[in-house]
Amino acid sequence: MVKALVLEEKLKLNLRDIDVPEELGPRDVRIEMKTVGVCGSDVHYYTHGGIGQFIVREPMILGHEASGVVIETGAEVSNLKVGDRVCMEPGIPDPSSRASRLGMYNLDPAVQFWATPPVHGCLRPSLVFPADFTFKIPDNVSFEAAAMVEPLAVGVHGTVKARVMPGDTAVVIGAGPIGLVTVLAAFAAGCAKVYVADIDEGKLALAEKLAKVPGSVVGVDVRSKSIQDVVMADTDGWGADIVFECSGNEKAAAGVFKPLRPGGCVVFIGMPLHDVAYDVPGAALKEARVEHVFRYAHVYPRCIAMLGSGAIDVSPLITDKFSFEESVKAFEYAATSPKGSVKIQIDM
């Protein structure tokens, strides 16, 4: 029995004991949790009881953005030792699946992903996890920053799919956690200027503070301005090299080709709840390249290396902290979509 944050059903959370049998295998490690982030998908399971085909049908532990300390190792683990500070890539694929053998393990239909029904998440004091998906973090990277590697991996995977070139101009639609880590990833990949579109003034102000050079991040409040008008005015009518759609908003996603330059790339990262109108003529006239992101693959070491080197600093995005005992309160707070709040974390 372990004490954990358990989603019993839609809108019902309890911090209680739950039976989670776990045996330490030869290539597993046991990890004491230190920090767990609250993700939008966690909140969506809480408020809606499901996401698409993934429905909460029985009690499930939430949480999948985590860092911790190794407290026990399996007999065949050689890359980690007791006391190592680590973060975990929360999806465990089937190594023999066709997707995994092609290198696209994030697309393995049988992947076991934390806090995706029926798989338990990590909001509990300790757990057992495969060493192959557990990564040591540098001494200068905090547990809070390490728990941000999971969302950061989404943004980095998006920039890899975009094939960012040095000096590129990008548009990021949506200034939530994924949008803002995509801003950081875009700069680390070589972008020279990033426009960020949202309706939350606080988040736009935070986005502009991420700029290492004043003016290299331009926040656009789309309630009063068109992102297309701003970008086209600044680029003499040419457009942005890349558009990252991170909002999941159907209306915003339907207009992704408008601020794009001819031959540019659109990367869909946000996950809309409903179908999105797709502007085929707008895409065709610009011969736009379109990419899609589902989670990430092969980028955790890159993210950790960038945090360690200082190329990326995620600390400004951590806006709210709660204790483990306040976990239910943290989710109730997150469900209100508070203005200016970006990443909520729970100190275990």
Side-chain angles (χ1 to χ4, degrees):
M1 301 289 287
V2 296
K3 189 176 183 181
L5 182 68
V6 181
L7 177 60
E8 313 285 1
E9 57 187 42
K10 177 181 175 180
L11 295 176
K12 185 178 180 182
L13 277 172
N14 282 316
L15 190 61
R16 66 168 175 87
D17 288 340
I18 184 172
D19 188 15
V20 186
E22 288 188 313
E23 181 179 346
L24 187 76
R27 293 203 52 75
D28 293 335
V29 291
R30 192 179 305 277
I31 302 161
E32 177 185 297
M33 294 291 103
K34 291 296 184 180
T35 301
V36 177
V38 176
C39 178
S41 65
D42 294 320
V43 177
H44 201 273
Y45 281 122
Y46 166 53
T47 57
H48 291 75
I51 299 176
Q53 64 181 345
F54 300 106
I55 308 298
V56 178
R57 305 187 188 280
E58 57 188 34
M60 179 183 75
I61 300 172
L62 291 173
H64 64 264
E65 304 174 0
S67 62
V69 176
V70 175
I71 56 175
E72 187 179 1
T73 63
E76 297 178 8
V77 175
S78 58
N79 60 317
L80 295 167
K81 64 182 185 302
V82 172
D84 280 346
R85 303 165 67 251
V86 295
C87 62
M88 293 70 73
E89 184 170 346
I92 307 172
D94 175 0
S96 65
S97 73
R98 188 167 184 176
S100 294
R101 287 186 283 111
L102 288 171
M104 303 181 295
Y105 63 86
N106 57 315
L107 304 183
D108 173 18
V111 67
Q112 300 287 300
F113 199 92
W114 275 345
T116 300
V119 181
H120 284 307
C122 61
L123 267 164
R124 41 182 154 153
S126 65
L127 49 75
V128 170
F129 201 68
D132 290 337
F133 288 89
T134 301
F135 298 86
K136 188 175 178 179
I137 58 174
D139 292 340
N140 65 330
V141 174
S142 68
F143 286 119
E144 292 81 7
M148 288 290 292
V149 170
E150 199 279 337
L152 177 60
V154 178
V156 172
H157 189 51
T159 61
V160 171
K161 298 295 285 288
R163 305 174 203 161
V164 175
M165 297 291 289
D168 273 350
T169 295
V171 169
V172 173
I173 301 173
I178 296 302
L180 294 182
V181 295
T182 300
V183 172
L184 293 173
F187 277 119
C191 282
K193 192 167 189 177
V194 179
Y195 297 84
V196 183
D198 204 283
I199 60 172
D200 187 323
E201 294 177 356
K203 291 178 181 176
L204 290 173
L206 176 55
E208 292 187 335
K209 290 179 181 177
L210 299 178
K212 293 184 178 180
V213 177
S216 59
V217 177
V218 178
V220 180
D221 188 335
V222 292
R223 294 174 299 178
S224 58
K225 298 178 183 178
S226 160
I227 185 67
Q228 176 187 8
D229 290 346
V230 173
V231 172
M232 290 302 178
D234 281 2
T235 59
D236 296 325
W238 180 242
D241 300 291
I242 305 162
V243 175
F244 296 99
E245 205 308 292
C246 300
S247 71
N249 178 278
E250 290 87 355
K251 183 178 179 180
V256 290
F257 300 110
K258 293 179 179 179
L260 188 70
R261 70 161 173 84
C265 178
V266 167
V267 183
F268 284 98
I269 298 178
M271 189 68 74
L273 297 178
H274 306 287
D275 291 345
V276 172
Y278 191 93
D279 181 11
V280 174
L285 288 172
K286 294 181 177 180
E287 285 200 352
R289 178 168 59 87
V290 179
E291 297 282 356
H292 294 269
V293 163
F294 182 66
R295 295 172 180 158
Y296 38 76
H298 309 293
V299 295
Y300 252 62
R302 293 174 183 267
C303 295
I304 295 167
M306 287 188 288
L307 290 176
S309 71
I312 285 180
D313 178 12
V314 294
S315 58
L317 308 188
I318 304 169
T319 53
D320 306 276
K321 295 184 180 181
F322 292 81
S323 68
F324 182 43
E325 291 71 24
E326 298 174 310
S327 294
V328 174
K329 182 180 176 182
F331 272 78
E332 291 172 344
Y333 175 75
T336 66
S337 300
K339 289 286 185 180
S341 177
V342 178
K343 176 52 63 178
I344 300 167
Q345 289 189 335
I346 295 173
D347 181 356
M348 303 299 290

mmCIF file with all atom_site columns, all heavy atoms in Angstrom, residues 205-228:
data_model
loop_
_atom_site.group_PDB
_atom_site.id
_atom_site.type_symbol
_atom_site.label_atom_id
_atom_site.label_alt_id
_atom_site.label_comp_id
_atom_site.label_asym_id
_atom_site.label_entity_id
_atom_site.label_seq_id
_atom_site.pdbx_PDB_ins_code
_atom_site.Cartn_x
_atom_site.Cartn_y
_atom_site.Cartn_z
_atom_site.occupancy
_atom_site.B_iso_or_equiv
_atom_site.pdbx_formal_charge
_atom_site.auth_seq_id
_atom_site.auth_comp_id
_atom_site.auth_asym_id
_atom_site.auth_atom_id
_atom_site.pdbx_PDB_model_num
ATOM 1   N N   . ALA A 1 205 ? 3.382  38.354 -21.152 1.00 0.00 ? 205 ALA A N   1
ATOM 2   C CA  . ALA A 1 205 ? 4.454  39.115 -20.512 1.00 0.00 ? 205 ALA A CA  1
ATOM 3   C C   . ALA A 1 205 ? 5.589  38.188 -20.091 1.00 0.00 ? 205 ALA A C   1
ATOM 4   O O   . ALA A 1 205 ? 6.770  38.517 -20.243 1.00 0.00 ? 205 ALA A O   1
ATOM 5   C CB  . ALA A 1 205 ? 3.914  39.866 -19.299 1.00 0.00 ? 205 ALA A CB  1
ATOM 6   N N   . LEU A 1 206 ? 5.229  37.004 -19.575 1.00 0.00 ? 206 LEU A N   1
ATOM 7   C CA  . LEU A 1 206 ? 6.243  36.021 -19.207 1.00 0.00 ? 206 LEU A CA  1
ATOM 8   C C   . LEU A 1 206 ? 7.004  35.553 -20.438 1.00 0.00 ? 206 LEU A C   1
ATOM 9   O O   . LEU A 1 206 ? 8.235  35.401 -20.405 1.00 0.00 ? 206 LEU A O   1
ATOM 10  C CB  . LEU A 1 206 ? 5.588  34.833 -18.510 1.00 0.00 ? 206 LEU A CB  1
ATOM 11  C CG  . LEU A 1 206 ? 6.504  33.662 -18.129 1.00 0.00 ? 206 LEU A CG  1
ATOM 12  C CD1 . LEU A 1 206 ? 7.669  34.129 -17.272 1.00 0.00 ? 206 LEU A CD1 1
ATOM 13  C CD2 . LEU A 1 206 ? 5.712  32.579 -17.407 1.00 0.00 ? 206 LEU A CD2 1
ATOM 14  N N   . ALA A 1 207 ? 6.285  35.327 -21.539 1.00 0.00 ? 207 ALA A N   1
ATOM 15  C CA  . ALA A 1 207 ? 6.934  34.902 -22.785 1.00 0.00 ? 207 ALA A CA  1
ATOM 16  C C   . ALA A 1 207 ? 7.988  35.918 -23.217 1.00 0.00 ? 207 ALA A C   1
ATOM 17  O O   . ALA A 1 207 ? 9.109  35.546 -23.606 1.00 0.00 ? 207 ALA A O   1
ATOM 18  C CB  . ALA A 1 207 ? 5.898  34.716 -23.888 1.00 0.00 ? 207 ALA A CB  1
ATOM 19  N N   . GLU A 1 208 ? 7.660  37.209 -23.129 1.00 0.00 ? 208 GLU A N   1
ATOM 20  C CA  . GLU A 1 208 ? 8.608  38.241 -23.555 1.00 0.00 ? 208 GLU A CA  1
ATOM 21  C C   . GLU A 1 208 ? 9.833  38.296 -22.646 1.00 0.00 ? 208 GLU A C   1
ATOM 22  O O   . GLU A 1 208 ? 10.928 38.648 -23.089 1.00 0.00 ? 208 GLU A O   1
ATOM 23  C CB  . GLU A 1 208 ? 7.907  39.589 -23.616 1.00 0.00 ? 208 GLU A CB  1
ATOM 24  C CG  . GLU A 1 208 ? 6.865  39.670 -24.745 1.00 0.00 ? 208 GLU A CG  1
ATOM 25  C CD  . GLU A 1 208 ? 6.275  41.051 -24.921 1.00 0.00 ? 208 GLU A CD  1
ATOM 26  O OE1 . GLU A 1 208 ? 6.286  41.828 -23.938 1.00 0.00 ? 208 GLU A OE1 1
ATOM 27  O OE2 . GLU A 1 208 ? 5.792  41.362 -26.030 1.00 0.00 ? 208 GLU A OE2 1
ATOM 28  N N   . LYS A 1 209 ? 9.663  37.911 -21.371 1.00 0.00 ? 209 LYS A N   1
ATOM 29  C CA  . LYS A 1 209 ? 10.793 37.894 -20.442 1.00 0.00 ? 209 LYS A CA  1
ATOM 30  C C   . LYS A 1 209 ? 11.768 36.755 -20.734 1.00 0.00 ? 209 LYS A C   1
ATOM 31  O O   . LYS A 1 209 ? 12.885 36.748 -20.224 1.00 0.00 ? 209 LYS A O   1
ATOM 32  C CB  . LYS A 1 209 ? 10.281 37.787 -19.007 1.00 0.00 ? 209 LYS A CB  1
ATOM 33  C CG  . LYS A 1 209 ? 9.578  39.033 -18.510 1.00 0.00 ? 209 LYS A CG  1
ATOM 34  C CD  . LYS A 1 209 ? 9.070  38.856 -17.085 1.00 0.00 ? 209 LYS A CD  1
ATOM 35  C CE  . LYS A 1 209 ? 8.334  40.093 -16.603 1.00 0.00 ? 209 LYS A CE  1
ATOM 36  N NZ  . LYS A 1 209 ? 7.771  39.896 -15.233 1.00 0.00 ? 209 LYS A NZ  1
ATOM 37  N N   . LEU A 1 210 ? 11.328 35.776 -21.545 1.00 0.00 ? 210 LEU A N   1
ATOM 38  C CA  . LEU A 1 210 ? 12.214 34.667 -21.893 1.00 0.00 ? 210 LEU A CA  1
ATOM 39  C C   . LEU A 1 210 ? 13.283 35.078 -22.903 1.00 0.00 ? 210 LEU A C   1
ATOM 40  O O   . LEU A 1 210 ? 14.230 34.335 -23.136 1.00 0.00 ? 210 LEU A O   1
ATOM 41  C CB  . LEU A 1 210 ? 11.404 33.494 -22.466 1.00 0.00 ? 210 LEU A CB  1
ATOM 42  C CG  . LEU A 1 210 ? 10.361 32.866 -21.543 1.00 0.00 ? 210 LEU A CG  1
ATOM 43  C CD1 . LEU A 1 210 ? 9.618  31.753 -22.274 1.00 0.00 ? 210 LEU A CD1 1
ATOM 44  C CD2 . LEU A 1 210 ? 11.009 32.331 -20.273 1.00 0.00 ? 210 LEU A CD2 1
ATOM 45  N N   . ALA A 1 211 ? 13.116 36.255 -23.498 1.00 0.00 ? 211 ALA A N   1
ATOM 46  C CA  . ALA A 1 211 ? 14.056 36.724 -24.515 1.00 0.00 ? 211 ALA A CA  1
ATOM 47  C C   . ALA A 1 211 ? 15.398 37.071 -23.887 1.00 0.00 ? 211 ALA A C   1
ATOM 48  O O   . ALA A 1 211 ? 15.465 37.814 -22.903 1.00 0.00 ? 211 ALA A O   1
ATOM 49  C CB  . ALA A 1 211 ? 13.492 37.941 -25.233 1.00 0.00 ? 211 ALA A CB  1
ATOM 50  N N   . LYS A 1 212 ? 16.475 36.523 -24.428 1.00 0.00 ? 212 LYS A N   1
ATOM 51  C CA  . LYS A 1 212 ? 17.809 36.889 -23.964 1.00 0.00 ? 212 LYS A CA  1
ATOM 52  C C   . LYS A 1 212 ? 18.219 38.239 -24.526 1.00 0.00 ? 212 LYS A C   1
ATOM 53  O O   . LYS A 1 212 ? 19.055 38.939 -23.963 1.00 0.00 ? 212 LYS A O   1
ATOM 54  C CB  . LYS A 1 212 ? 18.814 35.802 -24.356 1.00 0.00 ? 212 LYS A CB  1
ATOM 55  C CG  . LYS A 1 212 ? 18.588 34.479 -23.623 1.00 0.00 ? 212 LYS A CG  1
ATOM 56  C CD  . LYS A 1 212 ? 19.655 33.460 -23.947 1.00 0.00 ? 212 LYS A CD  1
ATOM 57  C CE  . LYS A 1 212 ? 19.444 32.169 -23.159 1.00 0.00 ? 212 LYS A CE  1
ATOM 58  N NZ  . LYS A 1 212 ? 20.464 31.147 -23.450 1.00 0.00 ? 212 LYS A NZ  1
ATOM 59  N N   . VAL A 1 213 ? 17.636 38.583 -25.673 1.00 0.00 ? 213 VAL A N   1
ATOM 60  C CA  . VAL A 1 213 ? 17.859 39.896 -26.286 1.00 0.00 ? 213 VAL A CA  1
ATOM 61  C C   . VAL A 1 213 ? 16.513 40.602 -26.349 1.00 0.00 ? 213 VAL A C   1
ATOM 62  O O   . VAL A 1 213 ? 15.545 40.033 -26.865 1.00 0.00 ? 213 VAL A O   1
ATOM 63  C CB  . VAL A 1 213 ? 18.448 39.762 -27.707 1.00 0.00 ? 213 VAL A CB  1
ATOM 64  C CG1 . VAL A 1 213 ? 18.598 41.128 -28.349 1.00 0.00 ? 213 VAL A CG1 1
ATOM 65  C CG2 . VAL A 1 213 ? 19.784 39.031 -27.661 1.00 0.00 ? 213 VAL A CG2 1
ATOM 66  N N   . PRO A 1 214 ? 16.390 41.817 -25.827 1.00 0.00 ? 214 PRO A N   1
ATOM 67  C CA  . PRO A 1 214 ? 15.104 42.517 -25.843 1.00 0.00 ? 214 PRO A CA  1
ATOM 68  C C   . PRO A 1 214 ? 14.521 42.601 -27.248 1.00 0.00 ? 214 PRO A C   1
ATOM 69  O O   . PRO A 1 214 ? 15.222 42.938 -28.207 1.00 0.00 ? 214 PRO A O   1
ATOM 70  C CB  . PRO A 1 214 ? 15.462 43.910 -25.308 1.00 0.00 ? 214 PRO A CB  1
ATOM 71  C CG  . PRO A 1 214 ? 16.668 43.686 -24.461 1.00 0.00 ? 214 PRO A CG  1
ATOM 72  C CD  . PRO A 1 214 ? 17.439 42.591 -25.138 1.00 0.00 ? 214 PRO A CD  1
ATOM 73  N N   . GLY A 1 215 ? 13.233 42.246 -27.354 1.00 0.00 ? 215 GLY A N   1
ATOM 74  C CA  . GLY A 1 215 ? 12.556 42.327 -28.646 1.00 0.00 ? 215 GLY A CA  1
ATOM 75  C C   . GLY A 1 215 ? 12.585 41.050 -29.447 1.00 0.00 ? 215 GLY A C   1
ATOM 76  O O   . GLY A 1 215 ? 11.915 40.954 -30.482 1.00 0.00 ? 215 GLY A O   1
ATOM 77  N N   . SER A 1 216 ? 13.365 40.048 -28.992 1.00 0.00 ? 216 SER A N   1
ATOM 78  C CA  . SER A 1 216 ? 13.425 38.808 -29.777 1.00 0.00 ? 216 SER A CA  1
ATOM 79  C C   . SER A 1 216 ? 12.218 37.906 -29.529 1.00 0.00 ? 216 SER A C   1
ATOM 80  O O   . SER A 1 216 ? 11.980 36.960 -30.286 1.00 0.00 ? 216 SER A O   1
ATOM 81  C CB  . SER A 1 216 ? 14.723 38.046 -29.481 1.00 0.00 ? 216 SER A CB  1
ATOM 82  O OG  . SER A 1 216 ? 14.816 37.716 -28.111 1.00 0.00 ? 216 SER A OG  1
ATOM 83  N N   . VAL A 1 217 ? 11.448 38.190 -28.456 1.00 0.00 ? 217 VAL A N   1
ATOM 84  C CA  . VAL A 1 217 ? 10.150 37.543 -28.262 1.00 0.00 ? 217 VAL A CA  1
ATOM 85  C C   . VAL A 1 217 ? 9.089  38.630 -28.292 1.00 0.00 ? 217 VAL A C   1
ATOM 86  O O   . VAL A 1 217 ? 9.172  39.607 -27.536 1.00 0.00 ? 217 VAL A O   1
ATOM 87  C CB  . VAL A 1 217 ? 10.066 36.781 -26.927 1.00 0.00 ? 217 VAL A CB  1
ATOM 88  C CG1 . VAL A 1 217 ? 8.661  36.198 -26.743 1.00 0.00 ? 217 VAL A CG1 1
ATOM 89  C CG2 . VAL A 1 217 ? 11.090 35.661 -26.872 1.00 0.00 ? 217 VAL A CG2 1
ATOM 90  N N   . VAL A 1 218 ? 8.112  38.468 -29.169 1.00 0.00 ? 218 VAL A N   1
ATOM 91  C CA  . VAL A 1 218 ? 7.041  39.454 -29.314 1.00 0.00 ? 218 VAL A CA  1
ATOM 92  C C   . VAL A 1 218 ? 5.720  38.803 -28.935 1.00 0.00 ? 218 VAL A C   1
ATOM 93  O O   . VAL A 1 218 ? 5.268  37.863 -29.603 1.00 0.00 ? 218 VAL A O   1
ATOM 94  C CB  . VAL A 1 218 ? 6.967  39.991 -30.764 1.00 0.00 ? 218 VAL A CB  1
ATOM 95  C CG1 . VAL A 1 218 ? 5.810  40.979 -30.903 1.00 0.00 ? 218 VAL A CG1 1
ATOM 96  C CG2 . VAL A 1 218 ? 8.280  40.637 -31.170 1.00 0.00 ? 218 VAL A CG2 1
ATOM 97  N N   . GLY A 1 219 ? 5.129  39.268 -27.849 1.00 0.00 ? 219 GLY A N   1
ATOM 98  C CA  . GLY A 1 219 ? 3.824  38.750 -27.442 1.00 0.00 ? 219 GLY A CA  1
ATOM 99  C C   . GLY A 1 219 ? 2.713  39.446 -28.203 1.00 0.00 ? 219 GLY A C   1
ATOM 100 O O   . GLY A 1 219 ? 2.729  40.683 -28.341 1.00 0.00 ? 219 GLY A O   1
ATOM 101 N N   . VAL A 1 220 ? 1.763  38.672 -28.691 1.00 0.00 ? 220 VAL A N   1
ATOM 102 C CA  . VAL A 1 220 ? 0.648  39.230 -29.461 1.00 0.00 ? 220 VAL A CA  1
ATOM 103 C C   . VAL A 1 220 ? -0.661 38.804 -28.807 1.00 0.00 ? 220 VAL A C   1
ATOM 104 O O   . VAL A 1 220 ? -0.989 37.617 -28.777 1.00 0.00 ? 220 VAL A O   1
ATOM 105 C CB  . VAL A 1 220 ? 0.686  38.752 -30.928 1.00 0.00 ? 220 VAL A CB  1
ATOM 106 C CG1 . VAL A 1 220 ? -0.493 39.344 -31.709 1.00 0.00 ? 220 VAL A CG1 1
ATOM 107 C CG2 . VAL A 1 220 ? 2.007  39.123 -31.587 1.00 0.00 ? 220 VAL A CG2 1
ATOM 108 N N   . ASP A 1 221 ? -1.392 39.773 -28.261 1.00 0.00 ? 221 ASP A N   1
ATOM 109 C CA  . ASP A 1 221 ? -2.706 39.505 -27.686 1.00 0.00 ? 221 ASP A CA  1
ATOM 110 C C   . ASP A 1 221 ? -3.711 39.433 -28.825 1.00 0.00 ? 221 ASP A C   1
ATOM 111 O O   . ASP A 1 221 ? -4.081 40.459 -29.404 1.00 0.00 ? 221 ASP A O   1
ATOM 112 C CB  . ASP A 1 221 ? -3.087 40.613 -26.699 1.00 0.00 ? 221 ASP A CB  1
ATOM 113 C CG  . ASP A 1 221 ? -4.352 40.296 -25.914 1.00 0.00 ? 221 ASP A CG  1
ATOM 114 O OD1 . ASP A 1 221 ? -5.186 39.513 -26.423 1.00 0.00 ? 221 ASP A OD1 1
ATOM 115 O OD2 . ASP A 1 221 ? -4.529 40.846 -24.816 1.00 0.00 ? 221 ASP A OD2 1
ATOM 116 N N   . VAL A 1 222 ? -4.134 38.240 -29.168 1.00 0.00 ? 222 VAL A N   1
ATOM 117 C CA  . VAL A 1 222 ? -4.970 38.052 -30.356 1.00 0.00 ? 222 VAL A CA  1
ATOM 118 C C   . VAL A 1 222 ? -6.416 38.490 -30.140 1.00 0.00 ? 222 VAL A C   1
ATOM 119 O O   . VAL A 1 222 ? -7.229 38.394 -31.051 1.00 0.00 ? 222 VAL A O   1
ATOM 120 C CB  . VAL A 1 222 ? -4.922 36.584 -30.844 1.00 0.00 ? 222 VAL A CB  1
ATOM 121 C CG1 . VAL A 1 222 ? -3.545 36.256 -31.392 1.00 0.00 ? 222 VAL A CG1 1
ATOM 122 C CG2 . VAL A 1 222 ? -5.305 35.617 -29.738 1.00 0.00 ? 222 VAL A CG2 1
ATOM 123 N N   . ARG A 1 223 ? -6.733 38.998 -28.956 1.00 0.00 ? 223 ARG A N   1
ATOM 124 C CA  . ARG A 1 223 ? -8.048 39.603 -28.763 1.00 0.00 ? 223 ARG A CA  1
ATOM 125 C C   . ARG A 1 223 ? -8.122 40.954 -29.460 1.00 0.00 ? 223 ARG A C   1
ATOM 126 O O   . ARG A 1 223 ? -9.219 41.400 -29.854 1.00 0.00 ? 223 ARG A O   1
ATOM 127 C CB  . ARG A 1 223 ? -8.343 39.778 -27.270 1.00 0.00 ? 223 ARG A CB  1
ATOM 128 C CG  . ARG A 1 223 ? -8.492 38.484 -26.481 1.00 0.00 ? 223 ARG A CG  1
ATOM 129 C CD  . ARG A 1 223 ? -8.637 38.762 -25.001 1.00 0.00 ? 223 ARG A CD  1
ATOM 130 N NE  . ARG A 1 223 ? -7.460 39.457 -24.478 1.00 0.00 ? 223 ARG A NE  1
ATOM 131 C CZ  . ARG A 1 223 ? -7.325 39.857 -23.219 1.00 0.00 ? 223 ARG A CZ  1
ATOM 132 N NH1 . ARG A 1 223 ? -8.303 39.616 -22.347 1.00 0.00 ? 223 ARG A NH1 1
ATOM 133 N NH2 . ARG A 1 223 ? -6.224 40.470 -22.819 1.00 0.00 ? 223 ARG A NH2 1
ATOM 134 N N   . SER A 1 224 ? -6.963 41.608 -29.604 1.00 0.00 ? 224 SER A N   1
ATOM 135 C CA  . SER A 1 224 ? -6.949 42.952 -30.198 1.00 0.00 ? 224 SER A CA  1
ATOM 136 C C   . SER A 1 224 ? -6.110 43.056 -31.461 1.00 0.00 ? 224 SER A C   1
ATOM 137 O O   . SER A 1 224 ? -6.214 44.027 -32.203 1.00 0.00 ? 224 SER A O   1
ATOM 138 C CB  . SER A 1 224 ? -6.427 43.960 -29.169 1.00 0.00 ? 224 SER A CB  1
ATOM 139 O OG  . SER A 1 224 ? -5.127 43.602 -28.728 1.00 0.00 ? 224 SER A OG  1
ATOM 140 N N   . LYS A 1 225 ? -5.256 42.043 -31.709 1.00 0.00 ? 225 LYS A N   1
ATOM 141 C CA  . LYS A 1 225 ? -4.390 42.083 -32.890 1.00 0.00 ? 225 LYS A CA  1
ATOM 142 C C   . LYS A 1 225 ? -4.425 40.729 -33.587 1.00 0.00 ? 225 LYS A C   1
ATOM 143 O O   . LYS A 1 225 ? -4.604 39.692 -32.962 1.00 0.00 ? 225 LYS A O   1
ATOM 144 C CB  . LYS A 1 225 ? -2.944 42.400 -32.501 1.00 0.00 ? 225 LYS A CB  1
ATOM 145 C CG  . LYS A 1 225 ? -2.728 43.743 -31.856 1.00 0.00 ? 225 LYS A CG  1
ATOM 146 C CD  . LYS A 1 225 ? -1.265 43.919 -31.483 1.00 0.00 ? 225 LYS A CD  1
ATOM 147 C CE  . LYS A 1 225 ? -1.012 45.235 -30.773 1.00 0.00 ? 225 LYS A CE  1
ATOM 148 N NZ  . LYS A 1 225 ? 0.413  45.392 -30.363 1.00 0.00 ? 225 LYS A NZ  1
ATOM 149 N N   . SER A 1 226 ? -4.203 40.751 -34.882 1.00 0.00 ? 226 SER A N   1
ATOM 150 C CA  . SER A 1 226 ? -4.083 39.514 -35.652 1.00 0.00 ? 226 SER A CA  1
ATOM 151 C C   . SER A 1 226 ? -2.612 39.113 -35.712 1.00 0.00 ? 226 SER A C   1
ATOM 152 O O   . SER A 1 226 ? -1.756 39.944 -36.056 1.00 0.00 ? 226 SER A O   1
ATOM 153 C CB  . SER A 1 226 ? -4.629 39.726 -37.064 1.00 0.00 ? 226 SER A CB  1
ATOM 154 O OG  . SER A 1 226 ? -4.125 38.754 -37.956 1.00 0.00 ? 226 SER A OG  1
ATOM 155 N N   . ILE A 1 227 ? -2.320 37.871 -35.379 1.00 0.00 ? 227 ILE A N   1
ATOM 156 C CA  . ILE A 1 227 ? -0.944 37.404 -35.467 1.00 0.00 ? 227 ILE A CA  1
ATOM 157 C C   . ILE A 1 227 ? -0.434 37.503 -36.901 1.00 0.00 ? 227 ILE A C   1
ATOM 158 O O   . ILE A 1 227 ? 0.736  37.834 -37.141 1.00 0.00 ? 227 ILE A O   1
ATOM 159 C CB  . ILE A 1 227 ? -0.806 35.958 -34.918 1.00 0.00 ? 227 ILE A CB  1
ATOM 160 C CG1 . ILE A 1 227 ? 0.669  35.514 -34.895 1.00 0.00 ? 227 ILE A CG1 1
ATOM 161 C CG2 . ILE A 1 227 ? -1.645 34.978 -35.700 1.00 0.00 ? 227 ILE A CG2 1
ATOM 162 C CD1 . ILE A 1 227 ? 1.529  36.261 -33.919 1.00 0.00 ? 227 ILE A CD1 1
ATOM 163 N N   . GLN A 1 228 ? -1.308 37.251 -37.862 1.00 0.00 ? 228 GLN A N   1
ATOM 164 C CA  . GLN A 1 228 ? -0.922 37.376 -39.270 1.00 0.00 ? 228 GLN A CA  1
ATOM 165 C C   . GLN A 1 228 ? -0.503 38.806 -39.587 1.00 0.00 ? 228 GLN A C   1
ATOM 166 O O   . GLN A 1 228 ? 0.542  39.037 -40.217 1.00 0.00 ? 228 GLN A O   1
ATOM 167 C CB  . GLN A 1 228 ? -2.091 36.969 -40.177 1.00 0.00 ? 228 GLN A CB  1
ATOM 168 C CG  . GLN A 1 228 ? -1.799 37.157 -41.657 1.00 0.00 ? 228 GLN A CG  1
ATOM 169 C CD  . GLN A 1 228 ? -3.032 36.914 -42.524 1.00 0.00 ? 228 GLN A CD  1
ATOM 170 O OE1 . GLN A 1 228 ? -4.140 36.740 -42.000 1.00 0.00 ? 228 GLN A OE1 1
ATOM 171 N NE2 . GLN A 1 228 ? -2.851 36.891 -43.830 1.00 0.00 ? 228 GLN A NE2 1
#
